[in-house]
Amino acid sequence: MNFIASADGAVTVDGLSGGLHGPGDKEIFDSLRMVCDALVVAAGTVRAENYDALRLTPEARAWRVAHGRPEFPLMVIVSRSLEFDLGQLVFSDAPIRPIVLATGGAEAAHLADAADVVRVPDLGAGVAALHERGATQLLCEGGPSLFGSMIAADLVDELCLTVSPLLVGGGPGRIATGAVTVPRRMSLRHVLTLDDMLFLRYVRQGS
């Protein structure tokens, strides 16, 4: 998981994560996308944050090819309703067809020309389906409901967390929402800072 939060725990400013970003965050954001096999995002986040197509810089694509990876990672969208604006760039400008992990029974015929729909009963089955396609290094950017569901399903083994030096106040929710689960111990592996922003990397103990 890759997430950003304010110093007082807010996940958004005025409903979007963009107000939290600052120096160095985009560099880490882009680096994580460069090395992953697939980027996994909830449909609500794709809509709310107006996701663009998953296009990398020429330098990032060259790095991937030099390291034996496909030029672009897979773009994977988790959805129950399958309600999308297919004119959104994440679909209309995609360098490779996105994958939609359909976790409900909604009709998918309207997506035939825009994405590969993979029906799965739950997130665990979705991760297994991606592994079968060779995508084992998965990067998830949320949103909070998907993050909470991934934690509940015990599918999170790493968290890259950026702490933005802002106090946002009450209102915005946490980076993970949903049912309360058994706490899982993490180990802090990296700490970086730039212009008052703090970048933390945690991994599951034993990983």
Side-chain angles (χ1 to χ4, degrees):
M1 298 295 305
N2 181 35
F3 252 102
I4 187 169
S6 68
D8 58 348
V11 71
T12 60
V13 174
D14 295 330
L16 298 174
S17 65
L20 296 169
H21 294 296
D25 184 54
K26 186 178 187 305
E27 183 177 352
I28 289 178
F29 184 86
D30 290 343
S31 296
L32 292 173
R33 286 184 166 198
M34 180 179 72
V35 301
C36 73
D37 295 321
L39 174 64
V40 182
V41 188
T45 297
V46 167
R47 289 188 289 265
E49 300 283 350
N50 194 26
Y51 263 58
D52 289 337
L54 183 52
R55 291 187 175 275
L56 305 181
T57 65
E59 294 78 13
R61 284 154 37 203
W63 183 93
R64 289 179 61 87
V65 172
H67 287 78
R69 299 171 182 259
E71 187 176 5
F72 294 97
L74 298 173
M75 180 71 215
V76 180
I77 305 171
V78 181
S79 178
R80 181 176 297 276
S81 70
L82 303 187
E83 295 177 359
F84 296 106
D85 173 8
L86 298 183
Q88 189 174 341
L89 293 178
V90 71
F91 292 105
S92 63
D93 190 42
I96 55 176
R97 281 170 64 88
I99 294 173
V100 174
L101 293 181
T103 57
E107 173 59 48
H110 62 294
L111 297 176
D113 294 331
D116 293 334
V117 177
V118 179
R119 292 197 178 275
V120 293
D122 53 45
L123 289 172
V127 168
L130 294 176
H131 285 185
E132 289 174 2
R133 291 174 177 242
T136 57
Q137 181 72 22
L138 306 180
L139 168 64
C140 185
E141 294 177 355
S145 293
L146 179 58
F147 189 12
S149 296
M150 297 280 276
I151 293 172
D154 202 21
L155 295 172
V156 180
D157 58 10
E158 184 171 334
L159 170 64
C160 293
L161 176 63
T162 296
V163 180
S164 178
L166 296 175
L167 296 178
V168 177
R174 296 174 50 183
I175 63 173
T177 61
V180 176
T181 66
V182 176
R184 293 162 175 84
R185 183 75 179 180
M186 306 289 283
S187 293
L188 181 62
R189 295 292 176 85
H190 291 93
V191 178
L192 301 172
T193 185
L194 177 65
D195 290 349
D196 295 326
M197 298 199 78
L198 185 63
F199 309 100
L200 307 170
R201 176 175 175 259
Y202 294 93
V203 300
R204 285 286 291 273
Q205 286 195 347
S207 299

